[in-house]
């Protein structure tokens, strides 16, 4: 199963400022990574070690709980963040 995901980037941002973060996980075979806010997938990387989220200007609607999930045929692992 994939190792637990790690987050690279700041989750603190001021409205109107850019946001860039990535979530990474290691596994063999390579994982499918999804980044979701609630039930809505906002970024996905298939068979890649990292998924990236970039916003030119963050808004209050972008605030909330996100989930980074790594999965392959042997299992899954996830990380939740605000």
């Amino acid at each position: 199963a994939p190792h637990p995901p790690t987050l690279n980037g700041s989750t603190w941002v001021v409205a109107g400022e850019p946001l860039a973060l990535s979530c990474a996980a290691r596994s063999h075979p390579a994982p499918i990574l999804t980044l979701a806010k609630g039930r809505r997938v906002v970024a996905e990387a298939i068979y890649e070690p990292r998924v990236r989220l970039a916003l030119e200007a963050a808004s209050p609607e972008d605030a909330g709980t996100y989930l980074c999930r790594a999965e392959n045929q042997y299992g899954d692992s996830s990380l939740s963040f605000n």
Side-chain angles (χ1 to χ4, degrees):
H3 290 264
T6 57
L7 190 62
N8 182 10
S10 175
T11 56
W12 290 95
V13 66
V14 176
E17 294 293 317
L19 170 68
L21 59 86
S22 63
C23 182
R26 294 186 340 253
S27 70
H28 185 74
I32 295 172
L33 288 163
T34 54
L35 189 56
K37 181 179 179 205
R39 294 181 182 247
R40 183 174 58 99
V41 173
V42 294
E44 184 174 46
I46 299 175
Y47 307 127
E48 297 290 332
R50 181 177 321 277
V51 64
R52 291 179 175 84
L53 175 64
L55 302 173
E56 288 185 23
S59 69
E61 292 80 30
D62 296 318
T65 302
Y66 289 78
L67 180 71
C68 178
R69 183 169 186 244
E71 63 182 301
N72 65 17
Q73 63 261 40
Y74 298 111
D76 63 86
S77 184
S78 62
L79 169 70
S80 178
F81 61 94
N82 291 318

